[in-house]
Amino acid sequence: EPQLSGDFATLMGWADEVRRLKVRANAETPMDADTARKFGAEGIGLCRTEHMFFDPERIGAVRQMIMAETEEGRRDAIARLLPFQRKDFVELFRIMAGLPVTIRLLDPPLHEFLPHKEEELAELAESLGVDVEAMRRRADDLKEANPMLGHRGCRLGITYPEIYEMQARAIFEAAVEIGKESGKALVPEIMIPLVGMVRELEVTRAQVDKVAKAVFAETGTTIEYLVGTMIELPRAALIADKIAEVGDFFSFGTNDLTQTVFGLSRDDAGKFLPTYVEKGILPKDPFVSLDVDGVGALVEIAAEKGRATKPGLKLGICGEHGGDPASIQFCEKAGLDYVSCSPYRVPVARLAAAQAALSGGGVDRTA
Ligand code: PEP
Ligand code: MG
């Protein structure tokens, strides 16, 4: 049972008195959310929704959706996920008790949800009543040479609007329910991943707004909500002034931003990064400690441009760097509002945020 007590809790209290940065957690299960709160998280900065799709009770409907050949077929399949997804958000909102919760709509390529072994694929075809050959063809169609740069993030939400619409509906229905239960209005924060063009955010935001309207009409309850975006592509950072005209907040996805700024794959970097660090070509692993000169420069550009459009635009970071003390130092200097990290790193982040506030935010340069 995680809990902070004694001298450590006292130290944390001092840290909280001096820090400016808020500390949120990346959490997607009730257990994560519970741990996050016990460690002092002030909200959820990133609820990744993909893991919720892998639950054994749900994966069948997910796969049925992927295999469906028509939009209607996909809508029927995804309708089966709605009650589960609504329950996910009801539970998280209840645990977080009014603290902010940022939910990211589906991000990974659909191929990740299909079985990889040939015999599992055959079994799935049988259970869905589809031809094995058709199943194989669909699975092959979904394969990508560079899945991390492929059909994922908002690109999915644009080609299959029914996915984001189901998720948005689950979020709004859950928020209305918890609002009634707690007597306090809940303001859900919906986050769109992998945005690189303004139109992508406009189109996905319109889907979310349409669902919001429908749910408010059905329930007779209107609530406030935010629709924001991840900034995790260099292009998004460079046009952040225009993105801020459409989005209500930014959260820096520095995992993907590191990958795309360096042009190196998150999945393969382990093959050469240790040698780079050993030979002093890079001072540190940039996936752990923020690369100030490249990734950091883009964070600063996006922060400045975003706030030029909307003064006070809420800015956070939810990549792994949000739990790294040196990176938190950078976030302080860049003027972010919060960092979001794994629940177990929340105490470290609270201390680092205090240190950053006290030292005024000097940073190490890499090149
Ligand atoms: C990121 O890219 O930094 C991020 C938080 O999203 P994910 O790691 O899920 O891609
Ligand atoms: Mg990402």
Side-chain angles (χ1 to χ4, degrees):
E1 169 91 344
Q3 200 90 48
L4 300 181
S5 55
D7 292 347
F8 196 51
T10 309
L11 176 66
M12 282 296 157
W14 292 339
D16 291 346
E17 279 171 30
V18 296
R19 71 185 158 91
R20 182 193 62 81
L21 281 166
K22 295 262 183 198
V23 177
R24 298 198 196 181
N26 295 353
E28 63 208 19
T29 64
M31 210 170 79
D32 287 347
D34 215 42
T35 306
R37 287 217 54 192
K38 286 189 177 120
F39 284 159
E42 295 160 299
I44 291 179
L46 172 63
C47 167
R48 292 180 168 102
T49 52
E50 47 268 24
H51 299 279
M52 296 164 167
F53 281 46
F54 281 108
D55 186 286
E57 275 187 296
R58 312 173 187 193
I59 189 73
V62 174
R63 289 170 171 171
Q64 187 189 352
M65 171 195 75
I66 295 172
M67 292 308 299
E69 283 172 11
T70 61
E71 184 183 328
E72 203 193 343
R74 283 194 299 275
R75 281 194 188 275
D76 285 347
I78 213 159
R80 290 170 53 202
L81 288 171
L82 177 64
F84 293 108
Q85 188 86 104
R86 189 195 303 122
K87 182 169 153 278
D88 293 328
F89 301 138
V90 162
E91 284 174 350
L92 284 183
F93 290 152
R94 196 175 279 140
I95 293 168
M96 297 312 290
L99 293 171
V101 176
T102 305
I103 297 166
R104 182 179 73 189
L105 302 187
L106 197 70
D107 186 25
L110 295 184
H111 192 263
E112 288 192 10
F113 299 103
L114 287 181
H116 299 293
K117 290 197 192 111
E118 182 63 23
E119 62 270 21
E120 282 174 350
L121 214 56
E123 249 173 59
L124 176 62
E126 201 184 321
S127 75
L128 293 177
V130 302
D131 180 60
V132 185
E133 271 314 309
M135 171 71 100
R136 232 175 253 135
R137 264 200 308 278
R138 178 77 177 129
D140 281 344
D141 281 351
L142 287 172
K143 278 204 187 109
E144 296 175 298
N146 287 305
M148 294 310 279
L149 298 176
H151 196 177
R152 54 167 289 220
C154 63
R155 299 162 191 173
L156 279 179
I158 288 167
T159 46
Y160 305 116
E162 52 280 3
I163 301 178
Y164 280 10
E165 285 172 22
M166 181 279 291
Q167 294 196 290
R169 176 168 278 277
I171 294 167
F172 290 124
E173 290 182 356
V176 166
E177 183 178 332
I178 288 294
K180 284 195 179 131
E181 180 184 296
S182 66
K184 270 193 305 191
L186 195 142
V187 185
E189 300 179 356
I190 297 177
M191 184 153 74
I192 312 291
L194 215 75
V195 165
M197 296 164 241
V198 177
R199 268 310 274 162
E200 290 175 320
L201 186 58
E202 279 173 349
V203 168
T204 46
R205 180 173 191 133
Q207 293 169 6
V208 171
D209 289 340
K210 183 182 79 179
V211 173
K213 243 190 211 151
V215 174
F216 300 163
E218 289 160 26
T219 58
T221 308
T222 299
I223 57 167
E224 273 182 63
Y225 61 93
L226 305 179
V227 181
T229 180
M230 308 269 304
I231 299 286
E232 52 185 348
L233 293 177
R235 192 175 197 282
L238 296 172
I239 59 160
D241 48 342
K242 299 191 183 77
I243 291 183
E245 285 169 12
V246 188
D248 301 322
F249 63 88
F250 290 171
S251 182
F252 291 97
T254 46
N255 303 331
D256 273 305
L257 199 53
T258 300
Q259 162 168 264
T260 48
V261 164
F262 279 94
L264 55 84
S265 151
R266 270 165 89 168
D267 300 322
D268 296 317
K271 291 173 187 152
F272 59 90
L273 275 187
T275 311
Y276 267 44
V277 174
E278 226 172 83
K279 291 190 189 284
I281 293 172
L282 273 170
K284 286 177 196 154
D285 180 340
F287 285 104
V288 176
S289 198
L290 194 101
D291 156 51
V292 171
D293 295 322
V295 176
L298 282 168
V299 169
E300 284 170 338
I301 287 170
E304 197 174 307
K305 280 179 172 271
R307 285 186 173 155
T309 299
K310 272 192 190 154
L313 179 73
K314 191 155 46 159
L315 303 173
I317 177 175
C318 61
E320 290 306 310
H321 307 87
D324 169 65
S327 310
I328 292 171
Q329 179 90 3
F330 173 83
C331 295
E332 168 74 24
K333 182 172 149 278
L336 303 196
D337 296 295
Y338 66 88
V339 299
S340 189
C341 57
S342 109
Y344 285 94
R345 292 202 71 82
V346 166
V348 169
R350 286 163 68 192
L351 280 177
Q355 259 168 346
L358 290 174
S359 72
V363 291
D364 290 343
R365 293 271 152 190
T366 56

